[in-house]
Amino acid sequence: MKTKKKYLFVALGFMIASVLLSMLTYYWVGTIEWDWICSSMNSKLEQIEEKIKQNQTETDTLVAQLKDDSLSKAKALSIMILESPSILKDVESLEETRIALGLDEINISDESGNIIASTSAYAANASDSGNHISDFLPAIQNKNFSKTITEDVSGTKRFYTGVPRLDKPGVVQISSTPAYLRAIMSFYDISSVCAEDFMLENGYTAIIDLNSYKYLSHSDKAMISKGVQIPKESFSSENGMFIAALAGKKSIVRYKKNEDKIIMAAVPEGEIYSMRNSAVSSLAAVLPVMMIITLLLLRHSFKKAGI
């Protein structure tokens, strides 16, 4: 009877220790995983924000350079007209000049803003180019005037530049669409920022347009331009964290606002605590076996001691 009590005492002690060890493991490993995922999500948001900023800086620098280039070409054309005014009466010569300068179109106006010479008959995209003459009319009176307008056209930009005529009052307007700009704009396109940038197994990152409330970029390219299923009021603060059901899974969402955009990262809760759950499951399998082995060893010791 005394031996049986000893077994019960050892077994009870082992069980209490096992429960305490499991609770400690559950809390300790869970805390480490939570801190790690929070740090990882914050770091990911910062990386995406920095990439957006870098892409915008690179794009702005490139556009500024192209504006300067367009202005130089417009001024050069104005000088050419000053030296050879007859070019305005020879459409073919004007077209040759357009090709030589790498332009889409040339439009020249008189002192009233009426177009008197144009290469529109040769330009594939000339349908609206002449409409911009009105934006450059101050050049008729102001010889120091210059202006460049940019328009987004099919994934690239078109530049319209207007300067004064030097031979007489009027406007020299050119338009151009740099051939290589489309490829560069595609490289800096915001939709590619989060492409294939997954977190853990099923987590993802994304950029949301606050105005249209659609995905501008997403780890899953198929989600780009689609509406966001998370209620907009969940992103009420400048930054924060909340829990949401995404694709049927309880997920942790971390976000940060960036001007008119929301940068976010989401990870299913089950994946965050995978190591903790695995550790606790392992303990639940190993500890009973260890208890049985311990009791068998005690039994053998008791028998050997004649107890």
Side-chain angles (χ1 to χ4, degrees), residues 28-275:
W28 182 63
V29 178
T31 300
I32 290 175
E33 286 190 297
W34 176 257
D35 290 343
W36 175 80
I37 197 64
C38 286
S39 177
S40 297
M41 293 174 90
N42 286 336
S43 177
K44 185 66 70 175
L45 295 184
E46 289 175 3
Q47 289 174 17
I48 293 173
E49 188 173 40
E50 182 59 32
K51 195 170 183 180
I52 292 174
K53 183 179 178 181
Q54 182 180 348
N55 285 0
Q56 188 61 53
T57 300
E58 295 288 346
T59 301
D60 290 345
T61 300
L62 177 62
V63 169
Q65 292 173 348
L66 291 172
K67 281 185 175 181
D68 289 342
D69 181 62
S70 182
L71 178 59
S72 296
K73 290 180 178 180
K75 288 182 176 180
L77 178 58
S78 187
I79 293 173
M80 292 172 67
I81 295 172
L82 173 65
E83 295 178 348
S84 303
S86 60
I87 192 176
L88 299 180
K89 298 179 181 180
D90 186 349
V91 179
E92 290 186 2
S93 295
L94 194 62
E95 171 61 11
E96 289 173 359
T97 303
R98 179 192 73 81
I99 295 173
L101 292 174
L103 304 174
D104 290 343
E105 186 179 356
I106 294 172
N107 286 290
I108 311 298
S109 85
D110 58 17
E111 66 276 9
S112 298
N114 299 315
I115 297 175
I116 59 168
S118 175
T119 60
S120 60
Y122 296 90
N125 51 10
S127 58
D128 64 346
S129 182
N131 295 336
H132 285 281
I133 281 289
S134 59
D135 295 309
F136 308 125
L137 290 181
I140 296 173
Q141 301 296 331
N142 183 2
K143 293 298 181 180
N144 295 316
F145 177 88
S146 66
K147 183 177 182 180
T148 298
I149 299 171
T150 60
E151 286 186 354
D152 294 326
V153 181
S154 303
T156 186
K157 288 184 180 293
R158 182 172 297 156
F159 297 81
Y160 298 94
T161 298
V163 298
R165 287 176 61 178
L166 299 179
D167 60 321
K168 60 176 64 177
V171 178
V172 173
Q173 181 207 289
I174 63 172
S175 63
S176 61
T177 310
Y180 59 87
L181 184 58
R182 186 187 301 275
I184 296 175
M185 294 280 289
S186 177
F187 180 77
Y188 290 133
D189 185 10
I190 195 170
S191 66
S192 64
V193 172
C194 296
E196 306 298 326
D197 189 12
F198 293 95
M199 294 197 68
L200 299 183
E201 187 175 345
N202 294 300
Y204 64 85
T205 58
I207 301 172
I208 301 169
D209 178 28
L210 268 172
N211 297 317
S212 64
Y213 206 55
K214 293 181 178 181
Y215 289 114
L216 295 173
S217 184
H218 197 287
S219 300
D220 181 0
K221 291 183 179 180
M223 295 299 295
I224 296 175
S225 296
K226 290 188 176 180
V228 181
Q229 299 303 310
I230 304 171
K232 195 171 185 178
E233 52 269 22
S234 298
F235 301 102
S236 57
S237 303
E238 285 301 307
N239 59 76
M241 179 182 287
F242 59 87
I243 297 174
L246 303 177
K249 296 180 180 179
K250 187 179 179 181
S251 302
I252 306 298
V253 179
R254 188 81 172 177
Y255 73 92
K256 184 177 184 180
K257 289 184 179 178
N258 178 279
E259 296 180 354
D260 59 347
K261 296 176 283 293
I262 299 172
I263 305 168
M264 64 165 284
V267 179
E269 189 178 47
E271 293 183 20
I272 297 174
Y273 297 113
S274 59
M275 186 183 295

